[in-house]
Amino acid sequence: MNHQRWMSQNFFVFFMTWGIFLPYWTGWLVQAKGLSVTEASIIMGFGLLARGVSSLFAFPLISKYWSSHTVILVLTAGSLAATILYIPSSSFVGLFIVTMVFSIIFPALLPALESTAGVLVQQGGVHYGKSRSYGSIGFVVSVLIISMITGYFGEQAILGSMITGLCFLLLMCLLPAPAVLLVKPTAKNRKESLTMRGLWQVKSFPIVLLIVVLLQGSHASYYNYGYIYLQDLGVKKYYIGMIINIAVMFEIFYFLKADHLFKKWQPSSLLLLAASGSTLRWLLVFLFPNVWVFMLSQSLHALSFGVAHYAFILYITRNLPKQQIPNAQGMYSALAMGLGTAVLTLAGGLLYEVSPTLSFLSMIVCTLPAIFLVMTTRKKYDY
């Protein structure tokens, strides 16, 4: 099995499902299930908290007992089962419970795949940026398909699309995988395995983690309310997917070239670039509340998300042993993509009810401190 091809294919299929979940799930709860924006925000916010706890504790734990391939297989099957539970759910309480279950399982696939990629970068000669670009392509394809499906059938089709996507991902898990991913950790491995506590002994790790938590958390309003915001601007459903995909297209171009263009860059320089681009992005959306400027701001996603994410992957593959990669990915997913974003999702939802653009502006409370942290710590910790 070609390691590069396997990783690229799995990123592609997973991010097709992620392209359904990330931009559309809040809108689906509002439009198809009849919740208010505030109710949907509460559910998604607590879902992010559940995701954070799962990524921080459950994912690193099962990684010590199961092979990487088994982890992905079990999480995929569990995600499919949890998604089917949405079908009979219609009340706020029912949707809240199902979303908690779903949020514990499905988002854990992200650190599972990212950890697998980290191992293959170190041991299998995989180019991370090239494989990750296929994930972004899968996201683009998914968003375009969903925008057309919802245009014809309405938001009710979103759930069916997610179930279909997870079925494809489950089929991918049944195909042959690289041998290094099939090795089950032994009792000796678990005894000698490094704990999360050991990450804090790497002096630069807490600083880098805090910076990426701030930068990824600053996307909370965009991820959860971007779809609704475009509807509020009067954009037809057919075009919403295209507009969302502008961000991912620039992300694809970045990941395709990142391994070559930024090979000699320090993670700190990449983080500073990401924080600056992110600040500019949210200021533009706030100052010019129209669809054309929103489309222009989408080009900055390559900086606000892509560069920040690549900087963290670059940092952990250069500075951590392979045994610590699942712990680092679990912590990154839990804090940057989960707990931090959860708090900002709840805050953004309240501000969105006051003014949609104010919800986006509030995200600079993350990006400005990130700039300050990079500028004041990069020389001291040499990262």
Side-chain angles (χ1 to χ4, degrees):
M1 166 60 67
N2 181 285
H3 295 176
Q4 190 80 50
R5 187 188 311 119
W6 185 90
M7 197 69 251
S8 299
Q9 290 173 347
N10 277 268
F11 267 140
F12 179 85
V13 179
F14 168 74
F15 274 96
M16 285 196 71
T17 63
W18 200 247
I20 300 169
F21 172 69
L22 202 60
Y24 291 107
W25 218 243
T26 303
W28 173 71
L29 288 172
V30 173
Q31 303 291 339
K33 291 296 186 177
L35 299 181
S36 68
V37 173
T38 301
E39 288 175 328
S41 299
I42 292 172
I43 287 178
M44 294 302 290
F46 277 94
L48 285 166
L49 290 173
R51 170 185 173 181
V53 172
S54 173
S55 299
L56 192 59
F57 299 107
F59 165 66
L61 179 63
I62 63 176
S63 296
K64 292 181 180 180
Y65 290 87
W66 297 340
S67 69
S68 298
H69 184 260
T70 301
V71 170
I72 295 171
L73 175 62
V74 171
L75 289 176
T76 302
S79 298
L80 179 58
T83 306
I84 293 173
L85 293 176
Y86 272 110
I87 296 175
S89 304
S90 57
S91 67
F92 174 82
V93 174
L95 290 168
F96 183 93
I97 294 172
V98 173
T99 301
M100 294 307 103
V101 175
F102 179 75
S103 298
I104 288 171
I105 303 171
F106 173 67
L109 276 166
L110 184 56
L113 284 168
E114 292 285 3
S115 295
T116 300
V119 171
L120 291 178
V121 167
Q122 288 186 337
Q123 298 188 0
V126 167
H127 294 287
Y128 175 81
K130 184 178 179 180
S131 283
R132 182 58 178 77
S133 69
Y134 279 87
S136 299
I137 293 170
F139 191 97
V140 168
V141 172
S142 176
V143 171
L144 285 175
I145 291 173
I146 295 302
S147 65
M148 290 187 287
I149 290 176
T150 54
Y152 281 108
F153 302 106
E155 277 75 11
Q156 291 81 0
I158 290 174
L159 182 62
S161 300
M162 174 63 88
I163 292 173
T164 302
L166 287 171
C167 285
F168 275 110
L169 188 58
L170 188 59
L171 288 175
M172 287 291 299
C173 292
L174 302 179
L175 298 177
V180 68
L181 304 181
L182 301 176
V183 179
K184 182 180 178 181
T186 63
K188 181 180 179 181
N189 294 148
R190 288 191 292 274
K191 187 177 181 180
E192 295 176 350
S193 65
L194 302 174
T195 63
M196 282 194 178
R197 186 178 300 176
L199 288 172
W200 303 108
Q201 296 174 1
V202 181
K203 292 184 178 180
S204 57
F205 181 79
I207 297 296
V208 173
L209 181 65
L210 176 58
I211 293 168
V212 293
V213 166
L214 290 170
L215 293 179
Q216 299 298 0
S218 73
H219 293 82
S221 289
Y222 171 69
Y223 289 151
N224 288 283
Y225 313 116
Y227 178 74
I228 299 172
Y229 178 66
L230 288 170
Q231 287 184 323
D232 291 342
L233 290 177
V235 179
K236 294 182 179 179
K237 293 178 182 178
Y238 296 105
Y239 302 117
I240 289 178
M242 297 179 187
I243 293 172
I244 291 173
N245 268 342
I246 293 172
V248 191
M249 290 301 295
F250 278 88
E251 179 185 310
I252 291 171
F253 295 144
Y254 169 74
F255 281 128
L256 280 172
K257 299 295 182 181
D259 291 320
H260 301 291
L261 292 178
F262 298 100
K263 187 176 182 179
K264 297 182 179 180
W265 280 52
Q266 288 292 102
S268 59
S269 299
L270 291 171
L271 291 170
L272 184 59
L273 178 61
S276 302
S278 188
T279 302
L280 177 60
R281 183 182 186 183
W282 310 131
L283 283 172
L284 284 173
V285 176
F286 170 72
L287 294 173
F288 306 98
N290 65 75
V291 67
W292 298 107
V293 174
F294 188 89
M295 290 169 63
L296 176 65
S297 73
Q298 289 288 77
S299 64
L300 294 170
H301 191 73
L303 300 182
S304 65
F305 170 78
V307 174
H309 182 73
Y310 184 81
F312 184 75
I313 298 298
L314 189 67
Y315 172 80
I316 64 174
T317 54
R318 286 182 179 178
N319 295 277
L320 301 179
K322 70 171 186 176
Q323 296 92 334
Q324 279 289 29
I325 289 179
N327 289 335
Q329 284 289 355
M331 197 172 292
Y332 172 60
S333 182
L335 300 179
M337 307 292 193
L339 299 175
T341 307
V343 174
L344 291 162
T345 295
L346 294 171
L350 296 173
L351 289 171
Y352 193 92
E353 296 283 8
V354 177
S355 170
T357 56
L358 190 60
S359 177
F360 290 98
L361 178 66
S362 66
M363 296 300 102
I364 68 172
V365 301
C366 296
T367 61
L368 293 179
I371 292 174
F372 174 78
L373 282 171
V374 175
M375 295 295 290
T376 55
T377 63
R378 61 190 305 186
K379 290 184 179 180
K380 181 178 179 180
Y381 295 103
D382 190 28
Y383 60 91

